[in-house]
Structure formats: structure tokens, C-alpha cells
């Protein structure tokens, strides 16, 4: 159980912490019993003291935690409820989806079929039954077939979304309504889903609510059935609001036998028996067939005209919505509240912390001021457009980046340009055109590739860029597919020319300089030096990054350049190592795990790297931040903003390197980035979640080694030989120094270079427009 040990992420300071509810019941009803009266004035809510909101009540949108903090813990478990209460603001309602046992004990569980949310099949094997529900046969295990004691003694709850961690499964019994109320949530929301079904089986939901729970404990009572709400309208007091819950547009409402989409057309009739509606979020912002936002409906504005509050359902950080949100859950909440004429009155969410942060901290709170941490891009805004393209850089500037980056690659004819890797296969369409140029170069990477230094700049310019989605293959998380091949690759000179006209600095990343000099006779350091000099960036912040200290030594005499040395994962930094870094660099670029160790998807502890380097006057920049929830440790609740806050506020890095600068900028330019502000998003202390795991899981891998002097000091760069003369049509190249034999067929080429038949099939489908 969390109790007082869990950190409260959203902190209320000064006067706000002293605010109490005007009455125990929270907000009174809108319109009272039948919903036809006038709206009563709700009691003070802490967040409402700051400003009047354009919701129907004038209060901030209500955060409604479905079964507690179900994004991490099983629904309505003690830990889920405690976490929701301890990690969100006071403006919180806990939602309980009501089910009844055969002895009329109320359970809080979403699914009517307990097989989806418990281990009941293990406890009662071969005992499933089939019932007709809404006209369809449903086979499973149902609460009404068991006494509460039988379920309590033998059944435990589990996560009902398979992609979520199962480490807290089977640690808690099914939660009863009374137990949830005993936790004293600020507001309690009871949702009735299957009143007609239970009535058919001689179990009465309304009697249970009226006689066992009592309306005084319920601030919101919702149901999917009009008949139930009309019956309740005659019984509830002004302290309980009745909410009509809408299912999918084609689902049939049991009382009037109409589609929910048809009922939605007559909001005046709905107002006669309810003071609000709870709808799937797609009722407000529908998606088109490609997964992007379609035109917003007028539902919120229309409902508000009839004094109907509108609550949107099904928000979850780890269930991606539209591609428009770029896997940033805060962006989705803001989509529903940033327009004052269409602001929803609340959210039903599995991650109450993110919703609370979005409302209190990030809704319309952008400022020109920013905390000191720099926002540095990784290949531009490469979460939105193909990396290192003109569009990625333009978007990065719009998104609020402080520094845009160019990882410099070299063409065969000596043109320096921007791309994440010298291997063109991942980030361009090179495979479809230059498959025969694929070679193996162990000094650069394990896999075979099509390398930039084997193609002329003209050949490279003929390629289209390609969006890189690092988690698409394993998790199906594709980035902005409509922009898959948009934009164009640009030379280093064009990159610097663009940056010169914008309010940003530049970071130039140089790698593989040794190989280029010794094997390809290309001097990337000289190319960068000359291009920078020609660009005349005297008034710009210029950073030179490399994983090679000898490269940085070449820029030691250049005034105004800040040199950054990048390292692979480390577990700590000694004083001697930090002093050695200072000899070559002004800053160190370190991975996330080098600053906060991670094991089994949980943080374990903060390393000493930042302190040791700061003590030697070496700045620290963390890489690389990504929005996709599978990239984020469990401690940050699938929320990239909380991860950024942890590294900026707690770890005190000097900058973050990110593929989604908009997410970083929104937080760092909000008042909540200031830990002394009225509201602030605080860090998630490393190791806190690990402490409450039911059992310590075996380590996934060995921790990285500490930074040693041998990892810092590199030998001088080799001299650059004469540049070879280029033929007008260069022949296919094999291993460097030898011409590849002409293949006899395409299949022979594939076999020769290790590309599978699947690659050819993919290329063929692409060429046919699939």
C-alpha cells in the first residue's frame, strides 16, 4: 500500500493546501433529481481558485480515475485507489463500474465477465456459463453466480490490458464498493452498466444503491440505460448528479431500443432525465480511416446550450490515439480543453496524474520564459518528420527547440550533409535503388548497409527520406505515416544557412572520422570547420559533439564553440574521470540509463555522473528522449513529461536531447517547470516504484561499467590520403578496395548481400502503391 510514502507529483502550495471541501459530498447536482431545475453553485474546488474555466460549471475539467490508477495497477485494487488519491490534485473523482454478486454485494470492476479482470478461471475451472446480453450470447464467469465470500476467498484481480505490466497481478482481492468509499475519495462516481441484465436475474441495482450505499455517498451516478436514470431521477437528492453514459454509436440503448447515435440528436430530451453525458472521446474528436483527427463535432457546444455537462471517456497514456498527438498523452488532453468554446467538463482516464498535470499546468500556460535546461533535437523533430530533413528542422524551430542538430555524413565526392547514420538504408529509400551497393563494414556497424561515402551527393539527393519508427517492428508504434517520405535531405551548408535565420543554436555531431580519413580519404573535420567558417555564426551558440576526443581536440582553439563528448552507457564517474573529460570537452552527452539506472523497466537509483561532472564544471546533456510509452520506465507512468521533469528537476541536467521537442518545450516553458510555482510537476524519485513491487524480479542484464580514463582519451586522428578520382558511373562496390562481381540475377544479389526475400517483397509492394 502506498500511503504517505508515495511522492505526490502535483503539489499544492500556500493557500491552496488549506482549502477544504464546503461539504463532504463534493459538488452538488446540476438540476437536482430529474435534471430539469436550475444549476446549483458547486462548492469551492482548489484548482478553481486560480481562474474561471469555460466549462459549464466554471470549474476546471474534472479528473475521473477509472478504478483508481489502472494504468499501472489492477482496477479498484487498494494500490490503484491509493495511487490515484496520492498522485493527483484534490479535484478528483474515483469511478467504480458496478457489478453485483448473487448476495447483492457491489463490486468495482469494468467487465461483466470476470474472466477478463480476475483469475477466476483458475479458482473455478470449467465453471463458465453463457448468458444473453444485449441480444448476444456471452460465455464467461459472472459475479452474480457467486457469493461475495466465495469471490473474496478465492479470486484475485489482474490487469485487463495485456500490454500493461503484470507484476501487481493477483496481489489484491476484488474491491467492493464499500472499500472504495472507505478510502474517502474527494468525489465518488458510480457507473451502472447492466441494470436490465441484473433485473432479469432478480438482482436490483437501484435497491442496492439506495439502501446499501445511499445517495449521500455518490456525487455522480451514471448509467447506459435511460429507464434506470428516469427511475433514479425521482429518488436522488441535489447532491447526486445523473449522467447518461453513451456506448458506441451503433449500439442499442435497452430502454428505448434506439441507437445511441440517434439519441444523441435530441439532447433536449436527454436533459429531462440527466444533468450530463459521458461519451467515448471519438464522439467529440472522431478519427479518420488513417488514424488522424477528423473535424471536431459540435457535441460539447450543443450539450452546453442545454446545460448538459460533457465528460469524455477512454483516455490512457499507453493506448495511442491519433497520430496528431505524436504519442504525447498531454497533447490529447489539451486537444479537448484548449478551445474555450468546446471544453469538456471532465475526463475518464486510467492515468489520472497526466490528466491533472495537463489541466493544472499545461493548458494554455505557455510563457516566454524557460528554465535553464536546453532543448536539443535529435535529427530535428524526427518524431514528426523524417529525421534530418528540411521539414524536421522547420518543425523543430516551430516546436520550441533551442538547439537543432546535424549528424554529419560524407558523400563519396566530399559533400557534408545531415543524416543520423552513414548507412542510408534505414533513413532513406536507398534499398530500392542501390541495393547492389550494400557492404559490410564492421568498424561502423554489425549489419550490412548502403553507406553514404559510396554514393555521390547527386545520387544521395535522388533518394527520398524515410521516417524511422524505432518501436514499429516490436510494438507496432508507427510515427506519422502521412509524412513517411516527406521532406528532403540537406547539406551541412544549407542546414547552417537555415539555422542562421532562426532563433536557434546548432549542434554538429561528428562520428566515424577515423574510418573516413583512413579508408575513404575523406576529412569530415575539415569539411565541418570550413563550412562553419563560411556560415559566419558568430552570434549563434555552436556545439561540436563527438564520441572521439581527438575530433574535439581539433576544435580546441575555436572560440565560441562548446565541445561535447558523447559516451555509451556508464554506471558512474570518478573524480579522475571527470577531470579527464574536462581536458577535452565542455560538456558530456550521456544516455538516460547513465544518469538513472533502469532494471526490469523500473528505475533503481540515480548515478553520481551529473554531480561528478558538474563538480568539474562539465555540463551534462541526456539522450535520447522519445514519447512512445514503451520507451519510458514504469515510474513515469507512460508520460514523457514526467520523465523530462525528473531529469530536469531532480537530476539537474543542463539539457535534454529529444526527438519530440514540442513535448519538452511545452513543459519547460510552462509555469510548472518552476519548482517554486503554485503548481509544479515534480520528479519521480528513482527506485520508489521498485520498493513496492510484490516480489523482486531478477535483473534483466548487467549494469554498465563506470567511466574510465581509457574510455575518454583517443589517439590522434590518422592523416587523410588523396581523394580518389570518381568515374562518371561508379561500378558496384564490394568490400572496400575491391569491385563487386556483377550478379547474375536479382536473387543472387539478395543472397550475396544477405537481404531476405521479404525485403524484395516489401519493395515490390511499395512499387505497386501498397
Amino acid at each position: 500500500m502506498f500511503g504517505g510514502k508515495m511522492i505526490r507529483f502535483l503539489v499544492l502550495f500556500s493557500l491552496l493546501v488549506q482549502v477544504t471541501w464546503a461539504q463532504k459530498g463534493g459538488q452538488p447536482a446540476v438540476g437536482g433529481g430529474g435534471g430539469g431545475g436550475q444549476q446549483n453553485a458547486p462548492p469551492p474546488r482548489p484548482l478553481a481558485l486560480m481562474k474561471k474555466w469555460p466549462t459549464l460549471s466554471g470549474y476546471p475539467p474534472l479528473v475521473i480515475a477509472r478504478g483508481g490508477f489502472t494504468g499501472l495497477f489492477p482496477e479498484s485494487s487498494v494500490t490503484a485507489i491509493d495511487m490515484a488519491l496520492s498522485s493527483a490534485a484534490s479535484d478528483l473523482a474515483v469511478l467504480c463500474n458496478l457489478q453485483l454478486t448473487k448476495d447483492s454485494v457491489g463490486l468495482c470492476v469494468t467487465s461483466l465477465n470476470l474472466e477478463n479482470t480476475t483469475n477466476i478461471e483458475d479458482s473455478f475451472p470449467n465453471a463458465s456459463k453463457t448468458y444473453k446480453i444485449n441480444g448476444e450470447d456471452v460465455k464467461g464467469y459472472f459475479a452474480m453466480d457467486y457469493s461475495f465470500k466465495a469471490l473474496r476467498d478465492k479470486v484475485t484481480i489482474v490487469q485487463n490490458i495485456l500490454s500493461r505490466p503484470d507484476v501487481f497481478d493477483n496481489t489484491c482481492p476484488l474491491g467492493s464498493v464499500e472499500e472504495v468509499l472507505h478510502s474517502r475519495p474527494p468525489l465518488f462516481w458510480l457507473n451502472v452498466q447492466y441494470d436490465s441484465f441484473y433485473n432479469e436475474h432478480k438482482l436490483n441495482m437501484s435497491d442496492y444503491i439506495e439502501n446499501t450505499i445511499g445517495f449521500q455517498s455518490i456525487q455522480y451516478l451514471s448509467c447506459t440505460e435511460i429507464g434506470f436514470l428516469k427511475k433514479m431521477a425521482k429518488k436522488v437528492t441535489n447532491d447526486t448528479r445523473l449522467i447518461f453514459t453513451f456506448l458506441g454509436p451503433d449500439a442499442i440503448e435497452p430502454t428505448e431500443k434506439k441507437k445511441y447515435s440517434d439519441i444523441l440528436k435530441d439532447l433536449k430530451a436527454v436533459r429531462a432525465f440527466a444533468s450530463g453525458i459521458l461519451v467515448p472521446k471519438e464522439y467529440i474528436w472522431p478519427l479518420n480511416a488513417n488514424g488522424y483527427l477528423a473535424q471536431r463535432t459540435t457535441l460539447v457546444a450543443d450539450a452546453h446550450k442545454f446545460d448538459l455537462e460533457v465528460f469524455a471517456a477512454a483516455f490512457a497514456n499507453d493506448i495511442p490515439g491519433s497520430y496528431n498527438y505524436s504519442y504525447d498523452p498531454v497533447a490529447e488532453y489539451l486537444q479537448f480543453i484548449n478551445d474555450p468554446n468546446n471544453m469538456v467538463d471532465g475526463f475518464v482516464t486510467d492515468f489520472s496524474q497526466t490528466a491533472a498535470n495537463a489541466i493544472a499546468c499545461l493548458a494554455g500556460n505557455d510563457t516566454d520564459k524557460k528554465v535553464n535546461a536546453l532543448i536539443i533535437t535529435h535529427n530535428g523533430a524526427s518524431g514528426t518528420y523524417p529525421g534530418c530533413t528540411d521539414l524536421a528542422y522547420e518543425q523543430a524551430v516551430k516546436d520550441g527547440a533551442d538547439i537543432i542538430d546535424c549528424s554529419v555524413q560524407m558523400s563519396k565526392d566530399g559533400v557534408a550533409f545531415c543524416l543520423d547514420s552513414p548507412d542510408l538504408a534505414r533513413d532513406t529509400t536507398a534499398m530500392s535503388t542501390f541495393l547492389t551497393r550494400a557492404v559490410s563494414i564492421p568498424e561502423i556497424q554489425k549489419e550490412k548497409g548502403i553507406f553514404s561515402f559510396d554514393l555521390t551527393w547527386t545520387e544521395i539527393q535522388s533518394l527520398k527520406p524515410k521516417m524511422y519508427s524505432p518501436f514499429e517492428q516490436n510494438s507496432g508504434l508507427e510515427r506519422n505515416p502521412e509524412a513517411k517520405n516527406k521532406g528532403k535531405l540537406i547539406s551541412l551548408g544549407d542546414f547552417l544557412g537555415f539555422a542562421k535565420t532562426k532563433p536557434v543554436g546548432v549542434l554538429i555531431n561528428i562520428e566515424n572520422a577515423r574510418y573516413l580519413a583512413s579508408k575513404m580519404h575523406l576529412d569530415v573535420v575539415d569539411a565541418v570547420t570550413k563550412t562553419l567558417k563560411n556560415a559566419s555564426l558568430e552570434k549563434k551558440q555552436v556545439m561540436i559533439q563527438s564520441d572521439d576526443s581527438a575530433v574535439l581536440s581539433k576544435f580546441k582553439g575555436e572560440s565560441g564553440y562548446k565541445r561535447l563528448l558523447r559516451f555509451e552507457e556508464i554506471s558512474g564517474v570518478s573524480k579522475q574521470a571527470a577531470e579527464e573529460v574536462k581536458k577535452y570537452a565542455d560538456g558530456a552527452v550521456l544516455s538516460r540509463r547513465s544518469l538513472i539506472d533502469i532494471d526490469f523497466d523500473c528505475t533503481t537509483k540515480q548515478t553520481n555522473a551529473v554531480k561528478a561532472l558538474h563538480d568539474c564544471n562539465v555540463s551534462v546533456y541526456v539522450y535520447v528522449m522519445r514519447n512512445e510509452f514503451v520507451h519510458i520506465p514504469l515510474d513515469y507512468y507512460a508520460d514523457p513529461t514526467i520523465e523530462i521533469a525528473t531529469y530536469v528537476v531532480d537530476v539537474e541536467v543542463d539539457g535534454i536531447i529529444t526527438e519530440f521537442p514540442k513535448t519538452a518545450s511545452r513543459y519547460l516553458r510552462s509555469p510548472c517547470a518552476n519548482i517554486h510555482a503554485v503548481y509544479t510537476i515534480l520528479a519521480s524519485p528513482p527506485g520508489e516504484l521498485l520498493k513496492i513491487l510484490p516480489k523482486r524480479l531478477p535483473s534483466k542484464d548487467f549494469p554498465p561499467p563506470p567511466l574510465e580514463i581509457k574510455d575518454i582519451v583517443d589517439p590522434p586522428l590518422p592523416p587523410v590520403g588523396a581523394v580518389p578520382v570518381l568515374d562518371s558511373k561508379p561500378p558496384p562496390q564490394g568490400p572496400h578496395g575491391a569491385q563487386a562481381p556483377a550478379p547474375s540475377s536479382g536473387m543472387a544479389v539478395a543472397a550475396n548481400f544477405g537481404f531476405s526475400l521479404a525485403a524484395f517483397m516489401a519493395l515490390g509492394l511499395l512499387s505497386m502503391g501498397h
Side-chain angles (χ1 to χ4, degrees), residues 215-279:
F215 295 118
Q216 71 277 4
S217 300
I218 306 169
Q219 286 73 54
Y220 294 87
L221 178 59
S222 59
C223 187
T224 56
E225 301 181 24
I226 293 174
F228 175 86
L229 292 171
K230 287 183 174 180
K231 180 168 55 177
M232 289 294 100
K234 301 173 183 178
K235 299 181 178 183
V236 298
T237 67
N238 284 350
D239 291 329
T240 303
R241 301 187 185 200
L242 295 179
I243 309 295
F244 182 30
T245 302
F246 281 73
L247 300 179
D250 293 327
I252 303 299
E253 191 278 322
T255 303
E256 298 194 356
K257 309 300 182 185
K258 295 179 180 179
K259 291 182 178 181
Y260 283 96
S261 57
D262 291 333
I263 297 173
L264 198 67
K265 297 174 183 177
D266 191 358
L267 292 173
K268 182 178 180 180
V270 173
R271 185 63 182 89
F273 59 84
S275 58
I277 57 176
L278 173 61
V279 299

XYZ file of all heavy atoms in Angstrom, residues 215-279:
516
model
N -27.484 7.568 -1.415
C -27.156 8.597 -2.403
C -26.187 9.645 -1.862
O -25.474 10.295 -2.621
C -28.447 9.285 -2.880
C -29.369 8.375 -3.632
C -30.644 8.106 -3.147
C -28.970 7.773 -4.814
C -31.501 7.260 -3.838
C -29.813 6.935 -5.514
C -31.090 6.667 -5.025
N -26.144 9.817 -0.543
C -25.277 10.837 0.012
C -23.798 10.545 -0.229
O -22.965 11.457 -0.176
C -25.521 10.990 1.525
C -25.023 9.840 2.383
C -26.004 8.672 2.443
O -27.038 8.703 1.760
N -25.700 7.682 3.243
N -23.476 9.309 -0.542
C -22.081 8.938 -0.802
C -21.710 9.082 -2.271
O -20.540 8.941 -2.630
C -21.838 7.485 -0.366
O -22.092 7.318 1.012
N -22.693 9.330 -3.127
C -22.465 9.314 -4.575
C -22.645 10.721 -5.135
O -23.742 11.286 -5.075
C -23.439 8.340 -5.271
C -23.348 6.947 -4.646
C -23.146 8.280 -6.762
C -24.453 6.007 -5.104
N -21.579 11.274 -5.670
C -21.688 12.593 -6.298
C -22.083 12.499 -7.772
O -22.707 13.410 -8.303
C -20.361 13.348 -6.186
C -20.063 13.878 -4.791
C -19.677 12.779 -3.818
O -18.761 11.999 -4.079
N -20.385 12.701 -2.700
N -21.715 11.410 -8.413
C -22.072 11.186 -9.815
C -22.606 9.760 -9.951
O -21.951 8.802 -9.539
C -20.857 11.367 -10.737
C -20.327 12.775 -10.803
C -19.391 13.226 -9.881
C -20.767 13.662 -11.783
C -18.904 14.516 -9.928
C -20.289 14.957 -11.841
C -19.348 15.382 -10.902
O -18.874 16.661 -10.962
N -23.774 9.636 -10.544
C -24.380 8.335 -10.798
C -24.694 8.266 -12.291
O -25.499 9.045 -12.800
C -25.657 8.160 -9.975
C -26.437 6.853 -10.178
C -25.568 5.640 -9.846
C -27.710 6.855 -9.325
N -24.039 7.357 -12.987
C -24.213 7.270 -14.436
C -24.719 5.893 -14.823
O -24.549 4.912 -14.089
C -22.886 7.556 -15.151
O -21.878 6.636 -14.766
N -25.341 5.842 -15.988
C -25.858 4.577 -16.486
C -26.019 4.642 -17.997
O -26.237 5.723 -18.572
C -27.209 4.247 -15.833
S -27.846 2.590 -16.252
N -25.937 3.489 -18.626
C -26.120 3.389 -20.070
C -27.586 3.243 -20.454
O -27.908 3.210 -21.640
C -25.360 2.162 -20.598
O -25.811 0.994 -19.893
C -23.862 2.313 -20.397
N -28.489 3.159 -19.439
C -29.896 2.877 -19.701
C -30.781 4.035 -19.245
O -30.726 4.467 -18.085
C -30.302 1.578 -19.007
C -29.479 0.379 -19.481
C -29.902 -0.925 -18.812
O -31.068 -0.987 -18.361
O -29.080 -1.852 -18.767
N -31.622 4.512 -20.155
C -32.487 5.650 -19.866
C -33.500 5.305 -18.775
O -33.785 6.130 -17.892
C -33.202 6.098 -21.157
C -32.175 6.673 -22.144
C -34.285 7.124 -20.857
C -32.746 7.018 -23.505
N -34.036 4.094 -18.801
C -35.035 3.693 -17.813
C -34.496 3.790 -16.400
O -35.198 4.254 -15.481
N -33.285 3.359 -16.188
C -32.677 3.427 -14.851
C -32.544 4.880 -14.402
O -32.858 5.229 -13.263
C -31.314 2.747 -14.882
C -30.542 2.865 -13.597
C -30.732 1.954 -12.574
C -29.624 3.889 -13.406
C -30.030 2.069 -11.376
C -28.909 4.016 -12.229
C -29.122 3.104 -11.206
N -32.073 5.757 -15.291
C -31.862 7.149 -14.920
C -33.183 7.847 -14.613
O -33.272 8.660 -13.681
C -31.111 7.878 -16.037
C -29.654 7.444 -16.242
C -29.083 8.077 -17.497
C -28.800 7.809 -15.027
N -34.217 7.542 -15.368
C -35.522 8.151 -15.092
C -36.058 7.695 -13.730
O -36.664 8.482 -12.993
C -36.508 7.800 -16.207
C -36.238 8.539 -17.512
C -37.279 8.222 -18.569
C -37.076 9.078 -19.820
N -38.087 8.792 -20.875
N -35.802 6.444 -13.401
C -36.228 5.935 -12.092
C -35.444 6.611 -10.971
O -36.005 7.005 -9.943
C -36.051 4.420 -12.062
C -36.470 3.774 -10.749
C -36.548 2.257 -10.879
C -35.266 1.652 -11.373
N -35.310 0.171 -11.443
N -34.143 6.777 -11.182
C -33.294 7.402 -10.167
C -33.598 8.887 -10.018
O -33.419 9.461 -8.942
C -31.827 7.217 -10.529
C -31.296 5.796 -10.387
S -31.267 5.221 -8.667
C -32.744 4.225 -8.616
N -34.045 9.533 -11.091
C -34.331 10.967 -11.036
C -35.386 11.290 -9.994
O -35.435 12.415 -9.463
C -34.767 11.459 -12.411
N -36.228 10.334 -9.687
C -37.280 10.540 -8.706
C -36.778 10.315 -7.275
O -37.516 10.606 -6.318
C -38.446 9.592 -8.980
C -39.067 9.765 -10.358
C -40.111 8.690 -10.639
C -40.698 8.819 -12.049
N -41.681 7.735 -12.339
N -35.552 9.804 -7.138
C -35.078 9.415 -5.812
C -33.861 10.195 -5.326
O -33.689 10.397 -4.126
C -34.728 7.915 -5.806
C -35.908 7.010 -6.126
C -35.493 5.548 -6.072
C -36.670 4.619 -6.345
N -36.287 3.184 -6.236
N -32.979 10.607 -6.251
C -31.725 11.209 -5.819
C -31.945 12.592 -5.229
O -32.936 13.257 -5.522
C -30.717 11.308 -6.994
C -30.361 9.952 -7.524
C -31.253 12.210 -8.099
N -31.004 12.996 -4.404
C -31.030 14.335 -3.841
C -30.199 15.272 -4.722
O -29.594 14.857 -5.706
C -30.430 14.326 -2.426
O -29.035 14.030 -2.509
C -31.122 13.275 -1.560
N -30.149 16.529 -4.320
C -29.389 17.507 -5.082
C -27.883 17.287 -5.005
O -27.127 17.981 -5.675
C -29.724 18.926 -4.610
C -31.065 19.401 -5.125
O -31.670 18.758 -5.974
N -31.540 20.510 -4.588
N -27.448 16.376 -4.164
C -26.012 16.100 -4.037
C -25.528 15.081 -5.065
O -24.333 14.781 -5.108
C -25.697 15.575 -2.633
C -25.880 16.651 -1.583
O -25.664 17.832 -1.919
O -26.252 16.315 -0.441
N -26.425 14.529 -5.840
C -26.042 13.495 -6.806
C -26.420 13.929 -8.208
O -27.586 14.248 -8.482
C -26.734 12.153 -6.483
O -26.408 11.764 -5.141
C -26.284 11.076 -7.452
N -25.463 13.927 -9.092
C -25.714 14.268 -10.496
C -25.956 12.983 -11.282
O -25.204 12.014 -11.153
C -24.527 15.014 -11.093
C -24.194 16.306 -10.370
C -23.134 17.066 -11.118
N -22.722 18.251 -10.368
C -22.108 19.293 -10.889
N -21.813 19.301 -12.182
N -21.771 20.328 -10.151
N -26.948 13.007 -12.134
C -27.245 11.870 -13.002
C -26.604 12.103 -14.367
O -26.801 13.152 -14.985
C -28.750 11.690 -13.152
C -29.513 11.322 -11.874
C -31.006 11.194 -12.165
C -28.966 10.034 -11.255
N -25.867 11.114 -14.827
C -25.125 11.208 -16.073
C -25.529 10.056 -16.989
O -25.518 8.890 -16.574
C -23.598 11.153 -15.824
C -23.182 12.156 -14.747
C -22.838 11.365 -17.128
C -23.391 13.606 -15.100
N -25.855 10.383 -18.224
C -26.216 9.359 -19.209
C -24.950 8.923 -19.941
O -24.294 9.730 -20.598
C -27.249 9.920 -20.188
C -27.736 8.937 -21.215
C -27.803 7.570 -20.946
C -28.146 9.367 -22.476
C -28.268 6.670 -21.892
C -28.611 8.479 -23.437
C -28.663 7.123 -23.147
N -24.629 7.640 -19.827
C -23.429 7.085 -20.456
C -23.769 6.546 -21.839
O -24.662 5.701 -21.989
C -22.844 5.941 -19.609
O -22.534 6.440 -18.306
C -21.587 5.383 -20.249
N -23.063 7.037 -22.851
C -23.265 6.587 -24.221
C -22.264 5.493 -24.562
O -21.067 5.610 -24.266
C -23.077 7.751 -25.202
C -24.259 8.674 -25.292
C -24.547 9.554 -24.253
C -25.091 8.662 -26.398
C -25.641 10.417 -24.329
C -26.180 9.517 -26.487
C -26.460 10.396 -25.439
N -22.773 4.446 -25.196
C -21.896 3.410 -25.753
C -21.592 3.783 -27.203
O -21.792 4.918 -27.619
C -22.560 2.043 -25.630
C -22.886 1.600 -24.198
C -23.563 0.226 -24.208
C -21.647 1.578 -23.318
N -21.095 2.820 -27.985
C -20.781 3.100 -29.379
C -21.983 3.592 -30.157
O -23.141 3.289 -29.805
N -21.769 4.349 -31.206
C -22.894 4.971 -31.924
C -23.901 3.976 -32.479
O -25.091 4.306 -32.584
C -22.209 5.753 -33.050
C -20.815 5.217 -33.144
C -20.469 4.729 -31.788
N -23.473 2.761 -32.816
C -24.401 1.777 -33.388
C -24.977 0.822 -32.347
O -25.813 -0.027 -32.671
C -23.694 0.970 -34.485
C -23.346 1.833 -35.697
O -24.113 2.766 -35.989
O -22.296 1.572 -36.324
N -24.514 0.936 -31.093
C -25.071 0.096 -30.028
C -26.506 0.531 -29.738
O -26.882 1.694 -29.954
C -24.211 0.196 -28.776
N -27.323 -0.405 -29.242
C -28.743 -0.143 -28.992
C -28.966 0.103 -27.498
O -28.579 -0.703 -26.660
C -29.617 -1.318 -29.467
C -29.372 -1.603 -30.959
C -31.094 -1.020 -29.205
C -29.717 -0.455 -31.876
N -29.593 1.225 -27.187
C -29.935 1.537 -25.798
C -31.108 0.644 -25.382
O -32.123 0.572 -26.094
C -30.304 3.018 -25.690
C -30.424 3.527 -24.266
C -31.772 3.198 -23.646
O -32.798 3.268 -24.378
O -31.813 2.885 -22.443
N -31.017 -0.054 -24.238
C -32.014 -1.085 -23.885
C -33.431 -0.567 -23.646
O -34.392 -1.292 -23.909
C -31.433 -1.678 -22.592
C -29.975 -1.394 -22.655
C -29.864 -0.064 -23.327
N -33.582 0.631 -23.145
C -34.932 1.105 -22.798
C -35.730 1.516 -24.030
O -36.852 1.047 -24.252
C -34.846 2.293 -21.823
O -34.105 1.907 -20.665
C -36.245 2.748 -21.413
N -35.164 2.398 -24.839
C -35.903 2.923 -25.983
C -35.590 2.188 -27.284
O -36.176 2.508 -28.328
C -35.601 4.416 -26.134
C -36.046 5.227 -24.924
C -36.062 6.721 -25.188
O -35.654 7.131 -26.300
O -36.491 7.470 -24.300
N -34.674 1.245 -27.220
C -34.336 0.414 -28.391
C -33.882 1.260 -29.580
O -34.187 0.958 -30.731
C -35.532 -0.455 -28.811
C -36.165 -1.259 -27.679
C -35.197 -2.211 -27.021
C -35.885 -3.030 -25.935
N -34.923 -3.891 -25.200
N -33.177 2.329 -29.295
C -32.636 3.180 -30.337
C -31.113 3.144 -30.299
O -30.520 2.869 -29.259
C -33.100 4.641 -30.147
C -34.584 4.883 -30.296
C -34.882 6.373 -30.066
C -36.353 6.685 -30.194
N -36.627 8.135 -29.939
N -30.508 3.453 -31.424
C -29.060 3.600 -31.430
C -28.672 4.813 -30.590
O -29.366 5.822 -30.562
C -28.541 3.784 -32.859
C -28.659 2.566 -33.747
C -28.067 2.855 -35.133
C -28.138 1.630 -36.020
N -27.550 1.900 -37.370
N -27.530 4.691 -29.938
C -27.058 5.823 -29.139
C -26.814 7.052 -30.014
O -27.010 8.192 -29.576
C -25.793 5.446 -28.373
C -26.061 4.588 -27.159
C -25.963 3.198 -27.226
C -26.428 5.151 -25.953
C -26.214 2.408 -26.119
C -26.693 4.364 -24.830
C -26.588 2.993 -24.918
O -26.852 2.213 -23.814
N -26.384 6.830 -31.241
C -26.156 7.962 -32.142
C -27.451 8.701 -32.446
O -27.452 9.929 -32.646
C -25.514 7.484 -33.439
O -26.312 6.489 -34.067
N -28.580 7.980 -32.479
C -29.871 8.636 -32.716
C -30.332 9.398 -31.475
O -30.903 10.489 -31.581
C -30.917 7.601 -33.117
C -30.646 6.999 -34.494
O -30.021 7.699 -35.321
O -31.040 5.848 -34.731
N -30.089 8.831 -30.306
C -30.472 9.521 -29.059
C -29.702 10.822 -28.913
O -30.232 11.825 -28.413
C -30.217 8.595 -27.850
C -31.105 7.342 -27.946
C -30.450 9.328 -26.537
C -30.809 6.299 -26.894
N -28.468 10.810 -29.385
C -27.616 11.992 -29.269
C -28.178 13.188 -30.044
O -27.848 14.341 -29.749
C -26.203 11.662 -29.768
C -25.076 12.602 -29.350
C -24.829 12.508 -27.855
C -23.802 12.272 -30.107
N -29.044 12.921 -31.001
C -29.604 14.001 -31.820
C -30.640 14.836 -31.064
O -30.983 15.929 -31.513
C -30.233 13.413 -33.091
C -29.232 12.719 -34.000
C -29.932 12.024 -35.160
C -28.945 11.255 -36.031
N -29.629 10.514 -37.129
N -31.111 14.314 -29.938
C -32.130 15.029 -29.165
C -31.609 15.269 -27.749
O -32.024 14.613 -26.792
C -33.431 14.234 -29.138
C -34.596 15.037 -28.571
O -34.381 16.197 -28.160
O -35.716 14.487 -28.521
N -30.697 16.222 -27.607
C -30.083 16.493 -26.310
C -31.077 17.133 -25.344
O -30.949 16.996 -24.122
C -28.870 17.397 -26.495
C -27.678 16.765 -27.219
C -26.603 17.803 -27.494
C -27.105 15.604 -26.406
N -32.058 17.819 -25.865
C -33.078 18.404 -25.004
C -33.819 17.304 -24.247
O -34.104 17.438 -23.041
C -34.055 19.229 -25.831
C -35.123 19.926 -24.996
C -36.049 20.776 -25.873
C -37.114 21.468 -25.033
N -38.025 22.306 -25.875
N -34.101 16.194 -24.926
C -34.782 15.076 -24.261
C -33.876 14.442 -23.207
O -34.334 14.026 -22.142
C -35.204 14.042 -25.301
N -32.581 14.378 -23.484
C -31.634 13.820 -22.509
C -31.598 14.691 -21.262
O -31.533 14.198 -20.128
C -30.231 13.694 -23.139
C -29.204 13.276 -22.084
C -30.248 12.699 -24.290
N -31.667 16.006 -21.448
C -31.610 16.922 -20.301
C -32.781 16.727 -19.352
O -32.700 17.069 -18.157
C -31.600 18.370 -20.804
C -31.415 19.406 -19.687
C -30.058 19.234 -19.012
N -29.856 20.168 -17.915
C -30.192 19.964 -16.651
N -30.794 18.827 -16.308
N -29.955 20.861 -15.726
N -33.848 16.124 -19.819
C -35.014 15.912 -18.969
C -34.761 14.898 -17.865
O -35.438 14.918 -16.827
C -36.209 15.466 -19.823
N -33.787 13.992 -18.066
C -33.521 12.977 -17.045
C -32.044 12.926 -16.607
O -31.685 12.106 -15.762
C -33.948 11.584 -17.535
C -33.257 11.127 -18.797
C -32.011 10.533 -18.754
C -33.880 11.300 -20.034
C -31.383 10.106 -19.917
C -33.254 10.884 -21.208
C -32.001 10.279 -21.151
N -31.186 13.789 -17.144
C -29.770 13.760 -16.784
C -29.200 15.174 -16.796
O -29.698 16.058 -17.506
C -28.986 12.875 -17.749
N -28.184 15.378 -16.010
C -27.515 16.678 -15.980
C -26.202 16.660 -16.742
O -25.509 17.675 -16.806
C -27.264 17.114 -14.535
O -26.486 16.153 -13.851
N -25.844 15.505 -17.299
C -24.623 15.416 -18.080
C -24.590 14.144 -18.888
O -25.422 13.237 -18.712
N -23.638 14.087 -19.812
C -23.453 12.886 -20.627
C -21.986 12.463 -20.563
O -21.081 13.290 -20.469
C -23.881 13.110 -22.097
C -23.116 14.290 -22.721
C -25.381 13.337 -22.178
C -23.420 14.504 -24.197
N -21.766 11.159 -20.583
C -20.424 10.573 -20.631
C -20.312 9.841 -21.962
O -21.080 8.905 -22.230
C -20.224 9.601 -19.473
C -18.941 8.772 -19.455
C -17.712 9.660 -19.390
C -18.956 7.799 -18.272
N -19.387 10.289 -22.812
C -19.310 9.759 -24.174
C -17.897 9.288 -24.488
O -16.918 9.814 -23.937
C -19.721 10.834 -25.211
C -21.153 11.278 -24.989
C -18.776 12.029 -25.171
